[in-house]
Amino acid sequence: MDSLSLPQSTDKHNTKVSQDEKYEEKATDVKASPAHSTLALVEQDSQDTDPWDLPELKDTGIPWSALDTKGKVLRVLVSVLKFIILLGLLYMFICSLDILSSAFQLVGGRAAGDIFQDNSVLSNPLAGLVIGVLVTLLVQSSSTSSSIVVSMVSSGILTVRVAVPIIMGTNIGTSVTNTLVAMTQAGDRSTFRRAFAGATVHDFFNWLSVLVLLPLEVASGYLYVVTELIIDSFKIESGEAPDLLNVITDVLTEAIIQLDESVIGGIATGDPEARNKSMIKKWCLTNTSTTLQNVTVPGIENCTFPTLCWVDGNYTVIQKNVSNTTNIEKCNHLFVDVNLSDLAVGLILLALSLLVLCSCLVCIVKLLNSMLKGQVASVIKKILNTDFPFPFGWVTGYIAIIVGAGMTFIVQSSSVFTSAITPLVGIGVISIERAYPLSLGSNIGTTTTAILAAMASPGDRLANALQIALVHFLFNISGIILWYPIPFTRIPIRMAKSLGNITANYRWFAAVYIICCFFLLPLFVFSLSLAGWQVLVGVGVPLVVILIIIVVINVLQKRKPGSLPVRLRSWDFLPLWAHSLDPWDKVVGAFTAKCCCCCKCCQVSNDDQEHTVQESVEQSTEIHKEAYDNPVMAGEKEVEDEIKIELHILKVAQL
């Protein structure tokens, strides 16, 4: 019996071993099997969402096919009415930009003229660049600041070579308008991200072009040389600049305010009469006659021509042409008889124009959101953002440049055009990649207007005026060649998107960007320029070297961190405030919360509301996650746990 029982125990043992191996294989399979829950897939999809994808503007209304005849007629009438209102708002928007420019000229026009008057400072290229930026910021019009430069060149106060950096600065200063327009869309985070990036892509293009072309111009003078060859090669006759959109907008703007822009040019050229003259135009129709009169001068040394000068007793008399202006017709704008200073009128117009500008912009965005839905939105977005089929996809961007140049030529202002497309970028109708060539085209369009305006100059001033306008044109063409043809060189798009992401998370950083880039940085460079070349080089060169080193380290941290020392692979060794905006965000939040009791109450209510919304979102997310968990899979997990427990019991039994 014992001999028979031994093999049975062996079989049982083998059976247990085989069952053990079987359970171990199952346990191994369980360990190697992937997660059954689809929750990971859902979370992965949410993380892969690109914030720069254009949103779908869904049509929440009744479909067209579901409407009866009365409903269809009503919808058509409402759509036509919305379109008419949209045109009216666009008209008011453009007029408000024109009034805003006039207000800035009244507030800062005299300061702009005084800045231009210091010729010793203008001889410094960096100082000339900064002066171009600051003057354009003061008058909010590159056309006005360019016309001042043209008048100074024509009168011999400035040479064309000295005026080239100033023209570059005017190109930078005019891009601040659409950046300010983007600030009005800070209410929605996603909209603000796209709008601010769409506006600042123009800024980055101008700044990068200046960083490359200004040193090249100082070293070689290629803009001056090429434009001089063009002027000498062609016999260009004087003409007249066309009035396109101004014919429509001047009806309203000239009924509000009319300015005598020659006052700024007179101050810049050193005319003593212009300094005491108001910029508000009083007489719109005048007659100037020139007569030869006898004029008494202090002494014989003041005689310009000896044949026209003689001494009569104790007086020295000369004959000279004297211009007498006769006022014929008074202007008919609102401020013609107002006894206020230019500064007071400018501040009034500044407040009113900003109010109208922001109101029109908000209404335009609301109207576009209601109109661009469903099929209409898909068609418009397809037309604006779709490239031509292969191999002609590269042509689309250049057509967008031509369209931007043509539209800017029609409205005669790059600020108006770029400010008009900024809300379209914000609501997702135009992509950043398409807004970039449109902005480049607007830069070319505004220079063509300047060229035509320069051709209206008198014959003796035509060459210099036209050369300055061609410098502006060639500068923008050179910038496009640098930063557009090759996709890798479209650095302004990447920089604008990075800044858009930052400002979406920290909206106060948008104001910091505008203040630093358009005010503090130009003033800092200008102050160094006033101190002389030695101070400028001694302070500026180390700062530039440090900035380049930081940029190189950041690039290496993202692409090749192994090539850096362990300590430099991240900025964690620095204090948190030196490499993160979170501490500054807390400071700004605390400062704004404690400004006043009203602001504090608003901040508390907003925080409570955001906290409530965040809790509801988290609850909905949890419910959403639970919905993706399959209960059958959960049952399989319980079976797997039971298998592990049985395997553990078998091992204990063997012992």
Side-chain angles (χ1 to χ4, degrees):
M1 296 292 294
D2 294 337
S3 61
L4 292 177
S5 63
L6 185 60
Q8 291 178 1
S9 62
T10 305
D11 293 337
K12 290 181 180 180
H13 179 70
N14 292 334
T15 303
K16 291 181 180 179
V17 172
S18 62
Q19 290 178 353
D20 190 3
E21 292 177 353
K22 185 176 180 180
Y23 286 134
E24 286 181 354
E25 289 177 359
K26 288 185 178 181
T28 305
D29 293 337
V30 170
K31 292 178 181 179
S33 63
H36 291 288
S37 175
T38 56
L39 177 61
L41 299 177
V42 177
E43 292 179 347
Q44 183 178 1
D45 292 339
S46 63
Q47 292 176 357
D48 293 340
T49 302
D50 188 1
W52 297 102
D53 288 340
L54 297 181
E56 291 293 335
L57 301 177
K58 297 181 180 180
D59 191 0
T60 57
I62 303 174
W64 177 265
S65 58
L67 294 173
D68 55 5
T69 304
K70 182 179 178 181
K72 291 180 179 179
V73 172
L74 183 62
R75 175 169 291 186
V76 170
L77 292 176
V78 170
S79 300
V80 172
L81 181 62
K82 286 183 178 180
F83 183 73
I84 294 174
I85 295 175
L86 180 62
L87 291 179
L89 290 172
L90 284 173
Y91 178 77
M92 294 296 297
F93 176 75
I94 295 172
C95 291
S96 64
L97 283 175
D98 195 357
I99 298 296
L100 182 67
S101 175
S102 300
F104 274 108
Q105 291 182 53
L106 287 170
V107 172
R110 295 184 182 277
D114 291 333
I115 291 174
F116 272 128
Q117 196 173 4
D118 194 350
N119 300 330
S120 60
V121 176
L122 294 177
S123 60
N124 185 338
L126 277 178
L129 173 73
V130 172
I131 286 174
V133 175
L134 294 176
V135 169
T136 309
L137 289 174
L138 288 174
V139 300
Q140 277 296 291
S141 173
S142 60
S143 301
T144 301
S145 53
S146 299
S147 64
I148 297 174
V149 176
V150 169
S151 64
M152 296 180 71
V153 171
S154 300
S155 59
I157 297 177
L158 288 180
T159 63
V160 176
R161 191 183 294 273
V162 172
V164 171
I166 305 176
I167 291 295
M168 294 184 182
T170 62
N171 214 54
I172 294 175
T174 191
S175 62
V176 71
T177 307
N178 57 330
T179 309
L180 293 174
V181 169
M183 294 286 290
T184 61
Q185 296 187 279
D188 182 75
R189 193 179 301 275
S190 299
T191 301
F192 186 51
R193 174 188 282 111
R194 289 188 295 267
F196 200 77
T200 53
V201 72
H202 194 195
D203 304 345
F204 287 123
F205 168 79
N206 290 329
W207 281 109
L208 290 174
S209 299
V210 166
L211 287 176
V212 175
L213 296 178
L214 181 60
L216 182 62
E217 175 64 22
V218 173
S220 63
Y222 98 99
L223 289 175
Y224 174 79
V225 173
V226 172
T227 52
E228 189 177 32
L229 290 175
I230 294 174
I231 294 297
D232 294 339
S233 301
F234 296 96
K235 294 182 179 179
I236 303 173
E237 296 181 356
S238 176
E240 292 185 358
D243 287 331
L244 298 176
L245 190 68
N246 291 344
V247 177
I248 304 174
T249 58
D250 286 348
V251 177
L252 179 60
T253 56
E254 290 185 356
I256 298 174
I257 189 68
Q258 295 184 41
L259 299 183
D260 187 1
E261 296 182 355
S262 63
V263 174
I264 304 177
I267 295 174
T269 54
D271 186 2
E273 295 181 359
R275 187 168 296 278
N276 298 322
K277 188 178 179 181
S278 174
M279 290 185 62
I280 301 174
K281 187 180 288 188
K282 300 290 185 181
W283 300 93
C284 289
L285 183 60
T286 59
N287 183 23
T288 302
S289 59
T290 303
T291 58
L292 188 63
Q293 296 180 2
N294 296 334
V295 179
T296 303
V297 294
I300 194 69
E301 65 275 3
N302 293 306
C303 293
T304 55
F305 297 98
T307 56
L308 300 177
C309 183
W310 66 92
V311 177
D312 184 7
N314 295 328
Y315 299 99
T316 302
V317 182
I318 63 171
Q319 285 186 338
K320 62 181 297 186
N321 292 323
V322 178
S323 298
N324 295 318
T325 302
T326 304
N327 298 323
I328 299 175
E329 183 180 350
K330 208 169 188 179
C331 297
N332 293 320
H333 56 86
L334 292 178
F335 295 92
V336 65
D337 292 323
V338 175
N339 294 323
L340 294 174
S341 63
D342 289 356
L343 178 61
V345 175
L347 292 175
I348 293 173
L349 290 177
L350 182 64
L352 293 177
S353 59
L354 286 175
L355 178 62
V356 175
L357 178 71
C358 297
S359 302
C360 288
L361 190 61
V362 171
C363 294
I364 287 172
V365 172
K366 295 293 183 181
L367 264 180
L368 289 174
N369 280 326
S370 64
M371 295 173 65
L372 302 178
K373 290 183 178 180
Q375 191 68 23
V376 178
S378 61
V379 170
I380 293 177
K381 290 191 339 188
K382 186 176 181 181
I383 293 174
L384 293 177
N385 301 304
T386 303
D387 295 334
F388 286 109
F390 182 83
F392 302 104
W394 58 273
V395 181
T396 312
Y398 295 97
I399 293 179
I401 292 176
I402 296 173
V403 171
M407 294 299 296
T408 305
F409 178 75
I410 292 174
V411 301
Q412 293 188 321
S413 173
S414 60
S415 299
V416 171
F417 177 71
T418 54
S419 299
I421 67 173
T422 296
L424 296 178
V425 177
I427 64 176
V429 176
I430 301 177
S431 64
I432 306 295
E433 289 74 13
R434 187 64 73 241
Y436 180 51
L438 289 173
S439 299
L440 302 187
S442 71
N443 275 2
I444 297 177
T446 191
T447 58
T448 56
T449 306
I451 291 173
L452 292 173
M455 292 179 66
S457 301
D460 57 339
R461 302 180 181 180
L462 177 62
N464 289 333
L466 193 56
Q467 186 175 358
I468 285 296
L470 287 176
V471 164
H472 198 183
F473 176 78
L474 187 59
F475 169 75
N476 284 296
I477 292 293
S478 302
I480 292 174
I481 294 173
L482 283 174
W483 309 115
Y484 188 75
I486 305 174
F488 175 77
T489 60
R490 296 172 187 175
I491 301 175
I493 295 179
R494 297 194 290 272
M495 296 178 69
K497 285 187 174 181
S498 299
L499 183 61
N501 289 328
I502 294 174
T503 53
N505 295 325
Y506 310 99
R507 302 182 195 184
W508 53 267
F509 191 77
V512 173
Y513 164 79
I514 294 175
I515 294 172
C516 290
C517 285
F518 292 103
F519 293 97
L520 295 183
L521 179 61
L523 288 174
F524 177 70
V525 175
F526 183 67
S527 60
L528 292 180
S529 301
L530 292 177
W533 275 104
Q534 295 81 4
V535 178
L536 180 63
V537 173
V539 177
V541 171
L543 291 178
V544 172
V545 171
I546 293 173
L547 181 62
I548 293 174
I549 293 174
I550 293 174
V551 171
V552 171
I553 292 176
N554 278 325
V555 173
L556 292 177
Q557 284 177 350
K558 292 181 179 179
R559 298 189 177 183
K560 292 184 178 180
S563 60
L564 292 172
V566 178
R567 189 174 181 82
L568 291 179
R569 291 178 185 177
S570 67
W571 298 108
D572 294 338
F573 65 92
L574 294 175
L576 185 61
W577 58 267
H579 64 91
S580 175
L581 291 176
D582 287 335
W584 298 103
D585 187 54
K586 294 178 181 178
V587 172
V588 172
F591 177 76
T592 54
K594 295 180 180 179
C595 284
C596 61
C597 295
C598 180
C599 292
K600 185 175 181 179
C601 295
C602 294
Q603 181 69 23
V604 172
S605 62
N606 289 334
D607 291 341
D608 293 338
Q609 184 178 2
E610 290 178 1
H611 183 67
T612 305
V613 172
Q614 185 176 3
E615 286 183 350
S616 62
V617 170
E618 291 177 354
Q619 291 176 0
S620 62
T621 304
E622 292 297 330
I623 296 173
H624 183 67
K625 290 180 180 179
E626 291 176 2
Y628 275 91
D629 281 336
N630 194 334
V632 177
M633 300 300 178
E636 291 181 3
K637 187 176 181 181
E638 293 178 0
V639 173
E640 293 168 4
D641 294 336
E642 292 177 0
I643 292 173
K644 292 180 181 179
I645 294 173
E646 291 177 2
L647 181 61
H648 180 69
I649 293 174
L650 288 173
K651 288 182 178 180
V652 173
Q654 290 177 5
L655 295 175

